[in-house]
């Protein structure tokens, strides 16, 4: 049977935040299928791997046009390419890290940026001891050079790993440099209105959720 993908919907289609948050999971599992040499997958098989329902997968993907065909399932390479397109993988996005401490260094040295097509072009810090260092192949610059750096380089997003007390002021400074996306690890909730897109990451919240689940399991089993 010839595979004929559906035409994706208009970019103006409104998609719920919950569906958007699930897209990276599709990205990860489709990468696994590609590494396994799979050329096609059914919604049931994908659902079993991802521990969700087949109905949920069909509903999610139908928000973007479906990408599948009844009796065939999903073409893995095609679906992966479309998910990458939706997530901006390969769109040439670039990032700067604000804060060259332990968290900033760990993030820069990870492979997640490269795997998702984001180019880290610089790290910035106020500590003169860090300035000039090379971290994972990326140079550390003084914060005072941030504006000129952003003017000379196309910077799409900033990863904030600095103390939370400085988060709001620093974010405003970066926003003024034309940066429109913020990945915020400071623990300080940031909202920049319609001027920028902010993803607030609270590692402590995730830890507490895990602790709750552990305690709940123990309580249910009478431990």
């Amino acid at each position: 049977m010839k595979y004929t993908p559906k035409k994706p919907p208009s970019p103006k289609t409104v998609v719920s935040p919950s569906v958007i948050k699930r897209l990276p999971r599709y990205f990860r599992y489709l990468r696994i299928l590609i590494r396994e040499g799979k050329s096609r997958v059914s919604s049931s098989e994908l659902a079993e791997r991802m521990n969700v329902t087949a109905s949920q997968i069909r509903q999610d993907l139908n928000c973007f046009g479906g990408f599948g065909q009844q009796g065939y399932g999903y073409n893995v390479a095609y679906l992966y390419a479309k998910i990458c397109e939706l997530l901006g993988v390969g769109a040439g996005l670039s990032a700067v890290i604000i804060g060259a401490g332990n968290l900033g260094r760990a993030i820069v040295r990870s492979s997640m940026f490269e795997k998702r097509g984001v180019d880290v072009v610089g790290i910035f810090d106020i500590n003169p001891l860090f300035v000039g260092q090379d971290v994972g192949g990326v140079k550390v610059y003084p914060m005072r050079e941030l504006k000129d750096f952003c003017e000379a380089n196309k910077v799409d997003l900033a990863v904030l790993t600095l103390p939370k007390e400085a988060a709001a002021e620093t974010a405003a400074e970066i926003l003024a440099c034309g940066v429109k996306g913020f990945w915020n690890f400071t623990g300080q909730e940031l909202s920049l209105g319609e001027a920028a897109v902010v993803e607030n990451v609270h590692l402590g919240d995730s830890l507490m959720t895990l602790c709750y689940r552990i305690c709940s399991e123990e309580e249910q089993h009478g431990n």
Side-chain angles (χ1 to χ4, degrees):
M1 179 184 297
K2 183 179 179 181
Y3 174 72
T4 306
K6 296 180 181 179
K7 182 179 179 181
S10 164
K12 294 183 179 180
T13 300
V14 177
V15 181
S16 73
S18 60
V19 173
I20 295 172
K21 284 185 176 294
R22 283 193 290 271
L23 288 180
R25 292 196 70 211
Y26 291 110
F27 171 83
R28 288 190 283 109
Y29 279 91
L30 287 167
R31 282 175 64 93
I32 294 172
L33 290 172
I34 289 174
R35 286 198 295 268
E36 293 176 354
K38 297 276 290 186
S39 61
R40 57 190 275 190
V41 65
S42 67
S43 58
S44 297
E45 182 181 353
L46 190 56
E48 185 176 350
R49 286 176 177 252
M50 295 179 61
N51 196 29
V52 297
T53 66
S55 175
Q56 181 70 75
I57 287 177
R58 291 192 294 269
Q59 289 176 24
D60 286 351
L61 297 181
N62 281 338
C63 292
F64 306 98
F67 307 132
Q69 184 173 326
Q70 188 173 2
Y72 180 95
Y74 299 100
N75 180 294
V76 174
Y78 176 80
L79 180 57
Y80 176 71
K82 299 309 294 185
I83 295 295
C84 285
E85 182 181 325
L86 291 168
L87 291 171
V89 177
L93 299 179
S94 62
V96 292
I97 310 293
I98 310 299
N102 292 334
L103 179 56
R105 289 169 182 264
I107 288 175
V108 133
R109 286 175 173 141
S110 75
S111 60
M112 63 182 165
F113 290 100
E114 181 181 359
K115 288 180 178 179
R116 289 155 182 80
V118 178
D119 185 21
V120 179
V121 294
I123 308 171
F124 291 83
D125 203 286
I126 61 172
N127 190 335
L129 296 177
F130 294 154
V131 172
Q133 292 183 5
D134 181 289
V135 181
V138 183
K139 183 179 178 181
V140 180
Y141 299 90
M143 278 296 295
R144 65 176 181 275
E145 295 183 9
L146 178 63
K147 181 178 179 180
D148 290 340
F149 185 93
C150 290
E151 289 178 354
N153 300 272
K154 179 181 177 294
V155 178
D156 299 291
L157 60 99
V159 183
L160 306 182
T161 62
L162 67 163
K164 67 178 182 179
E165 294 78 13
E169 182 179 352
T170 303
E173 179 183 347
I174 299 169
L175 183 63
C177 295
V179 178
K180 299 300 183 183
F182 293 80
W183 198 18
N184 175 30
F185 286 87
T186 66
Q188 175 66 48
E189 195 83 9
L190 292 179
S191 177
L192 300 173
E194 297 182 357
V197 179
V198 180
E199 183 72 20
N200 292 300
V201 181
H202 295 279
L203 297 177
D205 289 6
S206 181
L207 174 60
M208 292 171 69
T209 300
L210 175 61
C211 293
Y212 168 81
R213 293 177 63 184
I214 292 172
C215 293
S216 296
E217 286 291 325
E218 291 179 347
E219 183 176 336
Q220 288 177 14
H221 291 86
N223 294 331

